[in-house]
Amino acid sequence: MSAWRQAGLTYINYSNIAARVLRRSLKADLRNEALKRDESHVRITPWANGRPAPRLNKQTNSSAL
Amino acid sequence: MVVLYSKMALAFRGTLRTLAKRLQVRTYAEAAKGDEMALTFAAGNKVFYDKVVVKQVDVPSFSGSFGILPKHVPTLAVLRPGIVTVIENDGKQNKIFVSSGTVTVNDDSSVQVLAEEAHPLENLDRGAAQEALSKAQSEFSSAGNEKAKAEAAVAVEVAEEIVKAASA
């Protein structure tokens, strides 16, 4: 069993890290475009009584490392 | 005498061939003919091949690096960071670095390589890769817990592979 598996990481975690490192290793002109894929945005709208709640919650998930 | 023997041999071979045809036996030369391998190779950033017929695909996987030719046994494997080599029908070699993903070989000889991130070798920057490597190394040595250490170790492993690929 590989060390990362033993430490509780999944292949999805592994894949995310690998992709992130690869994006950082691109030529400068391509890198900036690629780094945008590092981030993912999740917009959450809670619903109550069949209507969207007034509070709109925007979350940004920027991966660490 | 010699002429007679060779004539007999020819006749014998002819008989064998008709017999094989009647019995629907596939000889080696026939089996290799007419087999095509349709490759689909895509990543989150780009589609490289869409059902394009190619000669051979070499992939790095956790079950070892292997080459895929038409009529390969159906297989599933997870990719490890490294170079996927596609040998196109005209013999041209295309080398693409993949971060991770899956490779599927189907019964009909079609192949799917799906990567999270993939770039042709010429798009890699050796300096940037080296920078990513030293960053990962320092993160590894300063990692506070088991998980952070494992994450940094993966980053080191991948960065080393990219540096190697970019230097080639």
Side-chain angles (χ1 to χ4, degrees):
Chain A
M1 205 200 224
S2 46
W4 51 271
R5 209 83 173 77
Q6 217 134 25
L9 295 182
T10 63
Y11 184 68
I12 297 290
N13 299 137
Y14 180 98
S15 182
N16 286 164
I17 297 167
R20 207 177 309 131
V21 175
L22 179 54
R23 285 193 282 264
R24 295 199 176 165
S25 306
L26 294 173
K27 292 199 168 140
D29 47 332
L30 298 155
R31 202 183 311 146
N32 291 337
E33 185 56 38
L35 286 182
K36 288 180 191 161
R37 286 193 292 277
D38 266 5
E39 291 183 1
S40 56
H41 303 277
V42 183
R43 197 179 171 122
I44 300 169
T45 307
W47 283 62
N49 303 321
R51 307 177 152 273
R55 184 171 55 88
L56 290 181
N57 201 358
K58 196 177 174 210
Q59 268 196 355
T60 304
N61 273 350
S62 177
S63 22
L65 201 116
Chain B
M1 201 58 179
V2 176
V3 178
L4 184 63
Y5 270 131
S6 62
K7 267 196 180 154
M8 276 171 72
L10 265 180
F12 183 61
R13 208 181 298 160
T15 319
L16 261 188
R17 202 173 297 149
T18 24
L19 194 65
K21 217 171 257 174
R22 200 163 301 158
L23 293 173
Q24 293 285 304
V25 174
R26 279 166 35 127
T27 56
Y28 188 78
E30 264 175 294
K33 201 169 59 187
D35 287 333
E36 291 189 334
M37 178 165 75
L39 170 69
T40 299
F41 184 171
N45 55 300
K46 195 184 166 180
V47 176
F48 292 91
Y49 295 88
D50 185 7
K51 296 185 188 125
V52 179
V53 173
V54 298
K55 261 191 194 156
Q56 186 182 337
V57 188
D58 295 344
V59 294
S61 88
F62 276 99
S63 29
S65 293
F66 59 97
I68 307 162
L69 288 163
K71 294 271 170 187
H72 192 283
V73 66
T75 305
L76 275 173
V78 260
L79 298 176
R80 61 158 63 239
I83 300 166
V84 171
T85 308
V86 179
I87 301 169
E88 294 176 359
N89 258 359
D90 57 5
K92 195 181 138 237
Q93 286 199 6
N94 196 7
K95 287 173 185 280
I96 297 162
F97 193 97
V98 294
S99 66
S100 47
T102 61
V103 54
T104 314
V105 182
N106 297 299
D107 203 25
D108 64 352
S109 269
S110 65
V111 176
Q112 280 90 43
V113 179
L114 302 174
E116 177 155 354
E117 191 83 21
H119 293 275
L121 279 196
E122 62 264 25
N123 286 0
L124 301 181
D125 186 301
R126 186 155 185 255
Q130 222 122 33
E131 212 172 288
L133 175 59
S134 43
K135 185 167 175 273
Q137 278 163 339
S138 72
E139 268 165 359
F140 180 75
S141 45
S142 67
N145 57 51
E146 189 84 355
K147 195 165 170 245
K149 210 166 185 68
E151 282 174 347
V154 171
V156 169
E157 179 195 331
V158 177
E160 274 173 349
E161 211 49 57
I162 299 171
V163 170
K164 206 167 83 186
S167 317

